[in-house]
């Protein structure tokens, strides 16, 4: 089996490359990544010399490059992780989100149409459903929840999902879509809540909590996400959407306080800052469908996963210290300097 993994130098794509290469010794992994600020070849250090691994530095929105890659490789499966993924950046500059997340998905689908494919899998997000109110803990996102987006990021991901559905219905491209809740774990870029708070706490810097910190996210350890996608591409039903997540809801403040406690740091480091525009209140996934159809449930609780994650950041300081020493400083100043 030949699998194209787009966005494989990023957080979840990188974890997925490791997961698949270790599990399926006879699969060929073709990693496609344009290496934006979020892509990091160090994440692929341990697999880059594996004979079953190859890498193309190309932009998924570049039709010619993508079609050439398909012509060379004739993949069986495409799993599309490549995206601009950070909500805050989408509020600053929406344009690149449309190009990569919408146009890029369109180019990949056109290539799948032309060259044929056993499966195209779109890695989507629970953010396409919008948010849930804090005072209705009985409500969860199901696959039937209407799309109702809040940020340019989530709007671009929802647009891509609609395109994927259209290529299934109109052109019979064999697609699946997964919509996952917030991931955390190794190789998570330190612009996102958990790795940013770990890095800041370790450097005794302020921990910037947006608004009141009451917003709720449903945290999933990244390996559980990889296992779910593995099941969907091998056993999922073509044309279907699968929600992935599982009852690990925490307020942002709870997450930040847990990190401080685990690291033995003072809560005085917390600084409440101006809220994110359009900030979604609560995400919570109902994973009944993927549980019933594919037998998937998360295996790592938040309490275990956050300990493992903190340990990884302590053991792999070079990985994130390299990132935060460069252009990231300008990003940090721009986003947090006068917040
Ligand atoms: P990430 O930002 O860490 O990585 C994205 C990767 O895509 C990077 O390696 C980047 O270089 C690459 N990329 C960006 N634009 C590209 C382009 N035009 N062509 C080729 N490569 C390009 O993102 P992530 O957090 O790993 O998210 C991966 C996917 O999972 C995204 O589609 C995201 O919407 C989705 N998702 C993320 C989460 C989460 O909590 N992080 C949850 C649910 C879904
Ligand atoms: O739900 C899935 C989504 O989860 C993915 O589709 C996105 O790609 C991924 O980035 C993530 O989006 P969020 O916006 O939920 O993640 P983020 O880590 O940016 O923020 C998590 C929460 O923490 C959110 O309520 C905003 C808050 N936050 C974030 C940062 C970076 C802070 O309070 N302070 C911060 O500095």
């Amino acid at each position: 089996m030949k699998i194209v993994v787009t966005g494989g130098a990023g957080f979840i794509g990188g974890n997925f490359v490791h997961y698949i290469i270790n599990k399926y010794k006879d699969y060929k992994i073709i990693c496609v990544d344009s290496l934006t600020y979020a892509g990091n070849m160090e994440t692929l250090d341990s697999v880059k010399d594996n004979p079953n691994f190859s890498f193309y530095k190309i932009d998924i929105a570049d039709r010619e490059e993508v079609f050439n890659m398909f012509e060379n490789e004739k993949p069986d499966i495409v799993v599309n992780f490549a995206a601009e993924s950070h909500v805050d950046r989408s509020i600053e500059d929406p344009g690149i989100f449309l190009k990569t997340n919408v146009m890029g998905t369109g180019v990949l689908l056109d290539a799948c149409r032309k060259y044929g494919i056993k499966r195209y899998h779109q890695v989507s997000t629970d953010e396409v459903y919008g948010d849930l109110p804090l005072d209705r803990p009985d409500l969860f996102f199901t696959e039937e929840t209407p799309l109702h987006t809040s940020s340019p990021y989530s709007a671009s991901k929802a647009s891509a999902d609609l395109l994927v559905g259209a290529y299934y219905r109109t052109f019979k491209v064999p697609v699946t879509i997964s919509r996952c809740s917030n991931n955390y774990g190794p190789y998570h870029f330190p612009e996102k809540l958990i790795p940013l708070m770990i890095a800041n706490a370790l450097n005794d810097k302020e921990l910037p909590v947006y608004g009141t910190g009451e917003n709720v996210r449903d945290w999933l350890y990244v390996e559980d996400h990889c296992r779910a996608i593995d099941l969907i591409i091998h056993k999922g039903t073509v044309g279907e959407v699968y929600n992935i997540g599982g009852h690990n809801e925490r307020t942002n403040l709870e997450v930040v306080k847990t990190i401080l406690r685990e690291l033995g740091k003072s809560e005085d480091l917390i600084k409440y800052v101006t809220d994110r525009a359009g900030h979604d209140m609560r995400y919570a996934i109902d994973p009944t469908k993927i549980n019933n159809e594919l037998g998937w449930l998360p295996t790592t609780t938040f309490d275990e996963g956050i300990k493992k994650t903190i340990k990884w950041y302590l053991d792999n300081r070079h990985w994130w210290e390299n990132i935060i020493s460069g252009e990231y400083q300008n990003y940090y100043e721009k986003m947090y300097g006068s917040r």
Side-chain angles (χ1 to χ4, degrees):
M1 199 69 90
K2 272 190 166 185
I3 306 192
V4 164
V5 178
T6 72
F11 165 44
I12 310 176
N15 277 282
F16 187 73
V17 168
H18 291 135
Y19 178 92
I20 292 290
I21 221 157
N22 288 329
K23 179 163 175 188
Y24 300 102
K25 303 290 182 205
D26 54 341
Y27 279 24
K28 299 257 181 257
I29 313 289
I30 300 127
C31 179
V32 166
D33 200 297
S34 63
L35 298 179
T36 68
Y37 78 92
N40 189 344
M41 285 308 283
E42 270 190 51
T43 297
L44 298 169
D45 259 358
S46 66
V47 297
K48 69 177 190 309
D49 297 326
N50 188 311
N52 287 339
F53 177 82
S54 54
F55 185 83
Y56 284 74
K57 183 178 180 307
I58 58 179
D59 182 339
I60 58 162
D62 186 322
R63 187 167 293 268
E64 198 182 325
E65 288 188 334
V66 168
F67 276 52
N68 284 340
M69 183 274 293
F70 268 76
E71 181 74 44
N72 288 341
E73 301 290 351
K74 307 274 179 352
D76 300 295
I77 298 176
V78 173
V79 184
N80 181 26
F81 292 92
E84 288 294 332
S85 70
H86 191 31
V87 172
D88 291 330
R89 287 185 191 254
S90 83
I91 296 167
E92 290 296 306
D93 179 16
I96 185 68
F97 285 74
L98 305 187
K99 182 175 179 229
T100 293
N101 300 2
V102 188
M103 305 300 288
T105 298
V107 169
L108 291 172
L109 288 165
D110 280 339
C112 290
R113 238 190 111 192
K114 174 165 180 197
Y115 291 97
I117 198 91
K118 292 195 175 81
R119 180 69 63 84
Y120 173 88
H121 183 72
Q122 177 72 2
V123 181
S124 184
T125 166
D126 62 356
E127 294 200 18
V128 300
Y129 299 123
D131 63 352
L132 299 163
L134 287 183
D135 60 356
R136 290 293 307 274
D138 55 314
L139 295 181
F140 295 90
F141 297 136
T142 74
E143 290 77 2
E144 310 310 320
T145 303
L147 303 190
H148 187 78
T149 57
S150 311
S151 69
Y153 162 69
S154 55
S156 70
K157 292 296 289 185
S159 306
D161 284 12
L162 293 176
L163 209 50
V164 173
Y167 273 62
Y168 169 61
R169 173 149 175 168
T170 306
F171 304 120
K172 310 284 179 273
V173 176
V175 306
T176 38
I177 296 176
S178 54
R179 296 184 179 140
C180 189
S181 58
N182 287 61
N183 284 216
Y184 67 105
Y187 304 111
H188 203 180
F189 194 88
E191 66 185 350
K192 305 286 175 69
L193 180 77
I194 287 182
L196 184 144
M197 296 300 170
I198 295 173
N200 280 17
L202 285 171
N203 288 329
D204 293 310
K205 277 181 73 172
E206 284 169 342
L207 272 52
V209 171
Y210 298 167
T212 59
E214 286 169 310
N215 306 64
V216 171
R217 297 293 183 265
D218 182 1
W219 293 98
L220 186 72
Y221 194 64
V222 63
E223 203 177 287
D224 277 330
H225 188 184
C226 294
R227 201 165 41 80
I229 295 175
D230 176 19
L231 279 170
I232 295 169
I233 60 178
H234 289 100
K235 297 188 176 144
T237 306
V238 165
E240 291 294 311
V241 173
Y242 294 91
N243 283 354
I244 308 172
H247 308 304
N248 270 310
E249 287 180 59
R250 295 286 186 285
T251 67
N252 293 339
L253 209 49
E254 282 171 334
V255 169
V256 169
K257 286 184 177 175
T258 303
I259 291 169
L260 287 170
R261 200 171 48 248
E262 290 292 328
L263 290 173
K265 300 282 182 175
S266 162
E267 289 185 9
D268 292 345
L269 285 174
I270 293 173
K271 183 185 178 205
Y272 293 93
V273 300
T274 310
D275 209 353
R276 172 185 281 174
H279 199 171
D280 282 336
M281 286 314 300
R282 171 176 170 247
Y283 304 145
I285 286 277
D286 174 354
T288 304
K289 178 174 173 178
I290 190 167
N291 181 23
N292 286 349
E293 290 188 17
L294 304 177
W296 180 91
L297 275 180
T299 56
T300 304
T301 63
F302 186 74
D303 293 342
E304 291 161 2
I306 196 71
K307 284 193 173 71
K308 281 206 264 189
T309 303
I310 290 173
K311 182 170 183 331
W312 189 88
Y313 279 83
L314 285 168
D315 292 346
N316 293 275
R317 287 187 88 114
H318 63 280
W319 183 88
W320 58 270
E321 281 177 344
N322 263 349
I323 294 172
I324 66 172
S325 65
E327 173 57 28
Y328 180 88
Q329 291 297 330
N330 297 335
Y331 165 81
Y332 201 88
E333 182 53 30
K334 183 171 166 206
M335 302 302 265
Y336 297 96
S338 58
R339 196 158 189 155

